[in-house]
Amino acid sequence: SEPYTAFVLAFNELCNHVMSTEASPATLDMRSCLHTAIGSEIEFMTELVPNISQLLGEQEKSNAKNDLTNHGYCETKNKFNFLLRKFLCAFSSKKPLVLFLDDLQWADKA
């Protein structure tokens, strides 16, 4: 299985949920918070959580290839963990966010 599968599925669903709500000021504010939090790393995050691009809109591709294969394991893991915290902080800055992780013993080794 792919690394971080549970997180990817959960965050794709979270993005779907936000997109399914009408374009209220709170939703637009959430998008703004996410864009500010993730900043220039949106391209990296869309490789991990593809629905972020639908939520934030298509972003310009950088000239430097920024895919996951260009980074070593430790760098990718650290970058993911850092962006994951920023992503969660942005989502939970306006409303509480509960992430229920069940059966962690079956999670991938990542």
Coordinates of all heavy atoms in Angstrom, one line a residue, residues 3 9-10 12-13 28 39 43 48-49 58 65 68 70 75 84 87-88 90-91 97 102 109-110:
P3 N 2.3 4.9 1.2 CA 2.5 5.5 2.5 C 1.4 6.6 2.8 O 1.0 7.2 1.9 CB 3.9 6.2 2.4 CG 4.5 5.5 1.2 CD 3.4 5.0 0.3
L9 N -6.6 9.6 2.3 CA -8.1 9.4 2.1 C -8.9 10.4 3.0 O -9.9 11.0 2.5 CB -8.4 8.0 2.5 CG -7.9 6.9 1.5 CD1 -8.2 5.5 2.1 CD2 -8.5 7.1 0.1
A10 N -8.4 10.5 4.2 CA -9.2 11.4 5.1 C -9.1 12.9 4.6 O -10.2 13.6 4.7 CB -8.6 11.4 6.5
N12 N -8.6 14.0 1.5 CA -9.3 14.1 0.3 C -10.8 14.2 0.6 O -11.5 15.1 0.0 CB -9.1 12.9 -0.6 CG -7.9 13.1 -1.5 OD1 -7.6 14.2 -2.0 ND2 -7.2 12.0 -1.8
E13 N -11.3 13.4 1.5 CA -12.7 13.6 2.0 C -13.0 14.9 2.6 O -14.0 15.5 2.4 CB -13.1 12.4 2.9 CG -13.3 11.1 2.2 CD -14.3 11.1 1.1 OE1 -15.4 11.7 1.3 OE2 -14.0 10.7 0.0
L28 N -14.9 30.5 2.0 CA -13.9 31.3 1.4 C -12.7 31.6 2.3 O -11.6 31.6 1.9 CB -14.5 32.6 0.8 CG -15.5 32.3 -0.3 CD1 -16.2 33.6 -0.7 CD2 -15.0 31.6 -1.5
G39 N 1.1 27.8 1.3 CA 1.9 28.7 0.5 C 2.5 28.1 -0.8 O 1.7 27.5 -1.6
E43 N 1.9 22.7 -4.6 CA 2.2 21.7 -5.6 C 2.6 20.3 -4.9 O 2.2 19.3 -5.3 CB 3.2 22.2 -6.6 CG 3.4 21.3 -7.8 CD 4.4 21.8 -8.8 OE1 4.7 23.0 -8.7 OE2 4.9 21.1 -9.6
L48 N 0.3 14.7 -2.8 CA -0.1 13.8 -1.7 C -1.6 13.7 -1.5 O -2.2 12.7 -1.3 CB 0.5 14.3 -0.4 CG 2.0 14.3 -0.3 CD1 2.6 15.1 0.9 CD2 2.5 12.8 -0.3
V49 N -2.3 14.9 -1.6 CA -3.7 15.0 -1.4 C -4.3 15.7 -2.7 O -4.4 17.0 -2.7 CB -4.1 15.8 -0.1 CG1 -5.6 15.8 0.1 CG2 -3.3 15.2 1.1
E58 N -6.6 25.4 -9.5 CA -5.4 25.0 -10.1 C -4.3 26.1 -9.9 O -4.6 27.3 -10.0 CB -5.6 24.8 -11.6 CG -6.4 23.6 -12.0 CD -5.8 22.3 -11.5 OE1 -4.6 22.2 -11.7 OE2 -6.5 21.4 -11.1
K65 N 11.0 21.0 -11.1 CA 10.2 19.9 -10.9 C 10.1 19.6 -9.4 O 11.1 19.4 -8.7 CB 10.8 18.7 -11.6 CG 9.9 17.5 -11.6 CD 9.5 17.1 -13.0 CE 8.8 15.7 -13.0 NZ 7.4 15.8 -13.0
L68 N 7.5 14.2 -5.7 CA 8.0 13.5 -4.5 C 9.3 12.6 -4.9 O 10.1 12.4 -4.0 CB 6.9 12.6 -4.0 CG 5.7 13.3 -3.5 CD1 4.6 12.3 -3.1 CD2 6.0 14.2 -2.4
N70 N 11.9 13.5 -6.4 CA 13.1 14.3 -6.4 C 13.6 14.5 -5.0 O 14.7 15.1 -4.8 CB 12.9 15.6 -7.0 CG 12.8 15.5 -8.5 OD1 13.1 14.5 -9.1 ND2 12.3 16.6 -9.2
E75 N 13.7 13.7 3.8 CA 13.3 15.1 3.5 C 11.8 15.1 3.1 O 11.0 16.0 3.6 CB 14.0 15.6 2.3 CG 13.7 17.0 1.9 CD 14.4 17.5 0.7 OE1 15.4 16.8 0.2 OE2 14.1 18.6 0.2
L84 N 1.6 18.8 7.0 CA 0.5 18.2 7.6 C 0.0 19.1 8.8 O -1.2 19.4 9.0 CB 0.8 16.8 8.1 CG -0.3 16.1 8.9 CD1 -1.5 15.9 8.0 CD2 0.2 14.8 9.4
F87 N -1.5 22.3 7.5 CA -2.8 21.9 6.9 C -3.8 21.8 8.0 O -4.9 22.4 7.9 CB -2.6 20.7 6.1 CG -3.8 20.2 5.4 CD1 -4.2 20.7 4.2 CD2 -4.6 19.2 5.9 CE1 -5.3 20.3 3.5 CE2 -5.7 18.7 5.2 CZ -6.1 19.3 4.0
L88 N -3.5 21.0 9.0 CA -4.4 20.8 10.1 C -4.7 22.1 10.9 O -5.9 22.4 11.3 CB -3.9 19.7 11.1 CG -4.0 18.3 10.5 CD1 -3.3 17.3 11.4 CD2 -5.4 17.9 10.2
A90 N -4.6 25.1 9.7 CA -5.4 26.0 8.9 C -6.9 25.5 8.9 O -7.8 26.4 9.1 CB -4.9 26.0 7.4
F91 N -7.1 24.2 8.8 CA -8.5 23.7 8.9 C -9.1 23.9 10.2 O -10.3 24.2 10.3 CB -8.5 22.2 8.5 CG -9.0 22.0 7.1 CD1 -8.0 21.6 6.2 CD2 -10.3 22.2 6.7 CE1 -8.4 21.4 4.9 CE2 -10.7 21.9 5.4 CZ -9.7 21.5 4.5
L97 N -11.7 20.7 14.5 CA -11.6 19.5 13.6 C -11.2 18.3 14.4 O -10.3 18.3 15.2 CB -10.4 19.8 12.6 CG -10.1 18.7 11.6 CD1 -11.2 18.4 10.6 CD2 -8.8 19.0 10.9
D102 N -8.6 5.1 13.8 CA -9.0 3.8 14.4 C -8.1 2.7 13.7 O -7.6 2.9 12.6 CB -10.4 3.5 14.0 CG -11.0 2.3 14.8 OD1 -10.4 1.9 15.8 OD2 -12.0 1.7 14.3
K109 N 3.7 1.6 7.4 CA 4.9 1.9 8.3 C 5.3 3.3 8.2 O 6.0 3.8 9.1 CB 6.1 1.0 7.9 CG 5.8 -0.4 8.2 CD 7.0 -1.3 7.8 CE 6.7 -2.7 8.1 NZ 7.8 -3.6 8.0
A110 N 4.8 4.1 7.3 CA 5.2 5.5 7.2 C 4.7 6.3 8.4 O 5.2 7.1 8.9 CB 4.6 6.1 5.9

